[in-house]
Amino acid sequence: YAHYGKLATIVDDKKASDGKTARMPCDHYEWAVTYFFSADLAKSGPWRCYVVARCEASGDGKAMTMGIYDIKARKSVSYKALAVKDFGGKDYQVFDLGTHKLHDRMYVWCAPAKRPGEVQAVYVDRFYLVREKGKK
């Protein structure tokens, strides 16, 4: 990633599922943590998409945004804006981005709110997918 070390870094975090997490400082609002879906997901979906995240912040207001973007259709498939009250603190929270038919021209993304001084950092532990059986 061209801006690794500035927009996002991988850091140690005992609370993260594998002891590592992606940390984004809140001096930007770039989609700095992303994951592109693989082509095989289209054959066996739809899929419910989850993001596990937390933030370090004081006060209220927006801390982070996340969603799913479809490059082929040139549109957002899912979008969520999170307030500090939704997930501030040391514990990770699970956020549901909904159930979607995914393909390899889509990706999930996370971005911090640009609020230096109020939101210190947001952390993304992982993305995970659950296949929704019986749905087409």
Side-chain angles (χ1 to χ4, degrees):
Y1 189 76
H3 298 285
Y4 180 78
K6 182 177 182 326
L7 300 180
T9 55
I10 303 299
V11 298
D12 294 328
D13 187 343
K14 292 179 183 179
K15 297 247 181 183
S17 60
D18 65 353
K20 299 282 186 185
T21 189
R23 179 188 185 277
M24 292 180 283
C26 292
D27 59 356
H28 68 86
Y29 45 77
E30 299 295 324
W31 296 3
V33 175
T34 59
Y35 179 79
F36 282 81
F37 299 121
S38 63
D40 62 331
L41 293 177
K43 300 173 190 170
S44 57
W47 297 88
R48 183 168 288 274
C49 183
Y50 297 94
V51 176
V52 182
R54 71 176 182 89
C55 76
E56 291 177 353
S58 56
D60 293 324
K62 188 164 62 169
M64 180 179 195
T65 56
M66 59 182 62
I68 299 172
Y69 189 77
D70 185 330
I71 298 167
K72 186 177 178 181
R74 294 180 164 185
K75 68 176 187 172
S76 288
V77 174
S78 180
Y79 174 83
K80 188 175 291 266
L82 302 174
V84 171
K85 68 178 181 169
D86 294 329
F87 74 125
K90 295 181 180 180
D91 293 326
Y92 283 92
Q93 304 291 322
V94 177
F95 300 97
D96 185 352
L97 291 177
T99 300
H100 309 281
K101 292 182 180 182
L102 303 175
H103 56 78
D104 63 347
R105 301 286 291 151
M106 297 171 84
Y107 60 93
V108 59
W109 60 270
C110 293
K114 188 174 181 179
R115 296 180 58 210
E118 295 175 273
V119 181
Q120 289 71 47
V122 293
Y123 299 84
V124 179
D125 177 23
R126 65 192 181 276
F127 305 123
Y128 67 93
L129 303 173
V130 176
R131 185 165 48 109
E132 296 286 319
K133 294 182 180 181
K135 294 184 178 181
K136 297 208 178 202

